[in-house]
């Protein structure tokens, strides 16, 4: 019997909690001593890990946790949490671009509706700045088809970002229809959702 694969963990420099690497974001020091987010976890150089939420990143900045964790003075952008969100959004856009190159997507209301009705959609995509009416009609179809509990709904990117991802103009509605890139995009979307989620309390 094969041994269980050990989950790689790291310590959050803010909370000191030991968490799986998938629940953390690595921050590294650039050549100018500037801290920047390494959302892939693969950049070279010295780094520290922070729980993958905007609140934790903001706390790390305000509490000077980066300098303490690295034991050296560092420079920080004004809004590191916002910059990190941009990096996560770009990572999601990159996954959607791969889906486009593989032909595993459709865009436009009619094609998206057809993909939903034929049970080919792996994820529904709606621009965050879509009209309320357009969004409501698409989600109503999702409910009629009883897909609301199983179909991921990627809705944190604006129309301009989706247009960049899919190579179209004014992309508002799209869907992923298969391929490994769809799985990658869904996982990156879930990571972005966890990052921007507000902490209760």
């Amino acid at each position: 019997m094969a041994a269980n694969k050990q989950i790689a963990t790291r310590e959050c420099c803010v909370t000191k909690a030991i968490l799986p690497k998938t629940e953390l974001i690595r921050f590294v020091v650039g050549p100018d001593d500037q801290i920047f987010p390494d959302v892939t976890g693969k950049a070279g150089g010295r780094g520290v890990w922070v729980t993958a939420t905007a609140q934790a990143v903001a706390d790390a900045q305000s509490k000077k946790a980066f300098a303490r964790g690295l034991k050296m003075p560092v420079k920080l952008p004004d809004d590191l949490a916002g910059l990190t969100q941009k990096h996560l959004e770009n990572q999601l856009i990159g996954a959607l671009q791969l889906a486009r190159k593989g032909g595993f997507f459709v865009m436009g209301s009619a094609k998206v509706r057809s993909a939903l009705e034929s049970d080919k959609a792996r994820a529904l995509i709606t621009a965050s700045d879509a009209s309320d009416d357009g969004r409501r009609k698409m989600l109503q179809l999702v409910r009629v088809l009883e897909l609301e509990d199983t179909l991921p709904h990627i809705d944190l990117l604006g129309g301009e970002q989706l247009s960049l991802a899919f190579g179209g103009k004014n992309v508002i509605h799209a869907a992923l229809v298969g391929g490994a890139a769809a799985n990658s995009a869904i996982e990156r979307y879930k990571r972005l959702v966890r990052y921007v989620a507000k902490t209760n309390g």
Side-chain angles (χ1 to χ4, degrees):
M1 181 182 295
N4 290 333
K5 187 176 180 180
Q6 188 171 6
I7 298 175
T9 60
R10 293 291 186 274
E11 180 182 272
C12 172
C13 71
V14 185
T15 66
K16 304 304 180 184
I18 306 297
L19 298 170
K21 287 171 65 175
T22 54
E23 296 180 21
L24 298 152
I25 294 174
R26 183 171 180 257
F27 290 83
V28 299
V29 184
D32 57 353
D33 295 335
Q34 180 93 9
I35 287 286
F36 69 92
D38 169 29
V39 296
T40 66
K42 297 178 180 178
R46 298 180 62 189
V48 292
W49 297 78
V50 179
T51 301
T53 66
Q55 185 61 59
V57 175
D59 289 345
Q61 180 160 10
S62 65
K63 296 177 181 178
K64 299 180 171 51
F66 295 107
R68 286 200 308 274
L70 291 161
K71 297 180 173 58
M72 62 177 288
V74 294
K75 300 174 184 176
L76 293 149
D78 292 337
D79 182 12
L80 184 59
L83 176 64
T84 303
Q85 180 173 332
K86 291 290 185 186
H87 279 249
L88 292 171
E89 289 173 353
N90 288 338
Q91 193 179 43
L92 172 56
I93 290 170
L96 294 176
Q97 288 172 331
L98 288 176
R100 179 193 74 193
K101 290 176 181 177
F104 297 114
F105 84 104
V106 296
M107 62 183 181
S109 297
K111 290 182 179 180
V112 172
R113 292 177 72 89
S114 177
L116 290 170
E117 291 169 348
S118 61
D119 199 28
K120 292 181 179 178
R122 295 283 305 282
L124 173 65
I125 302 169
T126 306
S128 59
D129 49 359
S131 70
D132 291 341
D133 184 56
R135 178 186 295 270
R136 183 175 62 254
K137 288 179 179 177
M138 200 63 71
L139 292 180
Q140 183 178 17
L141 177 59
V142 169
R143 286 192 294 271
V144 168
L145 296 171
E146 299 181 346
L147 296 173
E148 65 268 35
D149 294 329
T150 58
L151 186 74
H153 183 201
I154 298 172
D155 61 350
L156 290 179
L157 300 178
E160 187 174 336
Q161 291 171 302
L162 292 182
S163 297
L164 173 64
F166 292 121
K169 290 184 178 180
N170 195 31
V171 177
I172 302 299
H173 300 287
L176 298 176
V177 293
N183 295 332
S184 176
I186 291 167
E187 287 306 311
R188 290 176 181 185
Y189 170 68
K190 289 178 179 177
R191 192 182 191 200
L192 180 58
V193 168
R194 290 193 296 269
Y195 182 80
V196 302
K198 300 296 184 183
T199 302
N200 293 327

